[in-house]
Amino acid sequence: MKMKYYIQLLIPGLIVALLSATSCHKAEITPSSKLDCPLEDASLYKVNPKSDQYQALIDKYVGQGLPGVILLIKDEQGFYIGSAGMADIDKGIKIQPCHISKICSITKMMLGVAILRLQEKGVLSLSDPISKYIPETTLKHIENADQGLTILNLMNHTSGIYDVIKDQGFYLQVLNDPSKHWSADDLLKYVYDKPAMFPFNPEDTAAYSNTNYLLLSMIVEAASGKPQSQVMHEEIFDQAGMHDSYYFYHDELPENQVAQGYYDLYNNHTLINLSTWNTGSGNGYGGVYSTVWDMYLFADALFVKKTLLEQSSLEQMLVFHKTIESRKNLGVACFRDFIDVGGASDYAWGHRGRDLSYSADLFYFPHHKAIMSMIVNYGTDGDSYLRPVFKEMRDEIAKVIIAD
């Protein structure tokens, strides 16, 4: 998620008090444990001839401060799956390829594919106006919502609707109640009557907004008559065989299998465990917890085996806006990313995931027939000394993927 943090504007004593208050709640993310992980030692997962390069890279960047990294690469020469660093610093538990982690905004791509599958079934259409599914009493308080917005405008970020994640009041409430389970109505309070990011002009302007996918989660429920979590399981997890994936807070997370998440909260090069801090999980724009293997299964089913979507739906997904935002083009629940790490054909399709204390990447490089699935248990959307470290690592990994 794109985030603007206000945490460091608050006095340290208040933060300490909030951390103490959080510890009184029932832990939904329990301390991490060492796992019996079949991905760890099997030679099948180290046959890729670039395996030593990938392992050296993640070791290097853990050495520069990232707490833990899990990386899976699959191309025509086989798998590399490896890890480096810690899943739980306090408990001294090393991170393993089977540890589950929050994959943040990769949730959007999964929800988007679910919506495209619903379109194939005739449940809805991307050309439907959002007013067909969201009450006027809600839309009248959202600037640009009266411009005839369609489901497509939400999915490809051309709506211009204010981004809830950039709202200062929202983040102050996160600080006041870090482990709160947010409903759609709770979140929309921070969107109501706020200025749009830009006038609605879909041919010329696009910009990322988490609110788009909050609204899409509401549309999924209205159109299908089912809870969005049920749709996510039926249309994505079950279809791709993702047995270690969960949609929090709707799903209970397994004990001791989730990697802890960290952030440099005080901006003093000290990592603080913020695993239980919730920035709206379970409302379309974030909330899926998964493994690099399950993420790989999703990307493989979507882009390689093409079992999740019909070809026409996949083609619709891969229409990208001309606007370049943060070194990527926005598509329909999908990015064209890594557009400047190599030649014109070295881009990747997929999605980034960024949250308060977790990060993830899931991409398919079509020219190289390679899938990259990565989890880092550190929040890299906030401005900290480790954000450029993370960005440099992901670019270096991409350069190894595209190298001959």
Side-chain angles (χ1 to χ4, degrees), residues 318-338:
L318 299 177
V319 174
F320 298 96
H321 200 274
K322 63 184 179 182
T323 298
I324 296 175
E325 182 185 81
S326 300
R327 302 172 59 206
K328 66 182 184 298
N329 299 106
L330 299 169
V332 179
C334 185
F335 299 157
R336 180 165 57 200
D337 209 330
F338 299 102

Side-chain angles (χ1 to χ4, degrees), residues 5-24:
Y5 298 122
Y6 299 90
I7 293 169
Q8 291 160 358
L9 299 178
L10 300 183
I11 59 174
L14 175 58
I15 295 172
V16 170
L18 289 167
L19 284 168
S20 300
T22 305
S23 66
C24 296

Side-chain angles (χ1 to χ4, degrees), residues 41-247:
D41 300 318
S43 59
L44 170 65
Y45 303 119
K46 294 291 190 295
V47 298
N48 193 291
K50 299 177 182 178
S51 291
D52 289 345
Q53 290 177 265
Y54 293 127
Q55 187 65 48
L57 275 177
I58 63 174
D59 287 340
K60 170 186 171 181
Y61 286 100
V62 166
Q64 292 185 21
L66 295 175
V69 180
I70 309 171
L71 178 64
L72 179 154
I73 305 293
K74 171 63 167 64
D75 60 22
E76 292 183 300
Q77 300 183 81
F79 282 101
Y80 160 79
I81 304 177
S83 58
M86 307 300 288
D88 192 322
I89 294 171
D90 290 342
K91 300 293 183 182
I93 302 297
K94 292 183 178 180
I95 202 164
Q96 299 169 268
C98 295
H99 273 116
I100 293 164
S101 183
K102 191 175 190 178
I103 63 171
C104 320
S105 288
I106 295 171
T107 302
K108 294 182 178 72
M109 183 162 67
M110 294 178 179
L111 182 67
V113 172
I115 291 170
L116 286 164
R117 287 176 57 85
L118 293 179
Q119 178 177 248
E120 291 175 359
K121 296 177 179 181
V123 174
L124 51 71
S125 170
L126 268 62
S127 62
D128 286 343
I130 66 173
S131 58
K132 182 176 179 179
Y133 305 102
I134 300 176
E136 171 61 24
T137 52
T138 296
L139 295 180
K140 71 180 182 180
H141 293 291
I142 302 175
E143 189 166 329
N144 274 16
D146 61 350
Q147 300 297 306
L149 298 183
T150 65
I151 292 175
L152 177 62
N153 296 135
L154 299 181
M155 290 183 71
N156 67 8
H157 296 286
T158 56
S159 74
I161 289 175
Y162 180 81
D163 189 353
V164 62
I165 293 298
K166 293 185 177 181
D167 189 78
Q168 182 172 5
F170 168 68
Y171 262 96
L172 290 173
Q173 185 57 36
V174 170
L175 287 167
N176 286 330
D177 190 0
S179 58
K180 175 182 173 67
H181 289 179
W182 294 83
S183 70
D185 287 341
D186 291 334
L187 292 162
L188 285 173
K189 293 175 184 176
Y190 300 97
V191 177
Y192 286 161
D193 304 314
K194 300 293 175 64
M197 294 189 293
F198 51 82
F200 180 58
N201 185 6
E203 293 299 319
D204 294 329
T205 313
Y208 192 90
S209 173
N210 289 274
T211 309
N212 289 327
Y213 280 75
L214 167 61
L215 295 172
L216 285 167
S217 71
M218 298 166 64
I219 290 170
V220 164
E221 294 197 340
S224 68
K226 300 176 182 179
Q228 54 166 316
S229 57
Q230 181 179 343
V231 173
M232 190 74 87
H233 277 270
E234 290 177 354
E235 302 296 341
I236 302 301
F237 299 166
D238 296 348
Q239 296 297 320
M242 299 165 64
H243 302 304
D244 289 311
S245 296
Y246 306 85
Y247 190 31

Side-chain angles (χ1 to χ4, degrees), residues 303 318 345-349 363-371:
F303 295 122
L318 299 177
S345 61
D346 292 324
Y347 57 82
W349 300 326
F363 287 98
Y364 175 64
F365 293 76
H367 183 73
H368 303 276
K369 298 181 180 178
I371 293 173

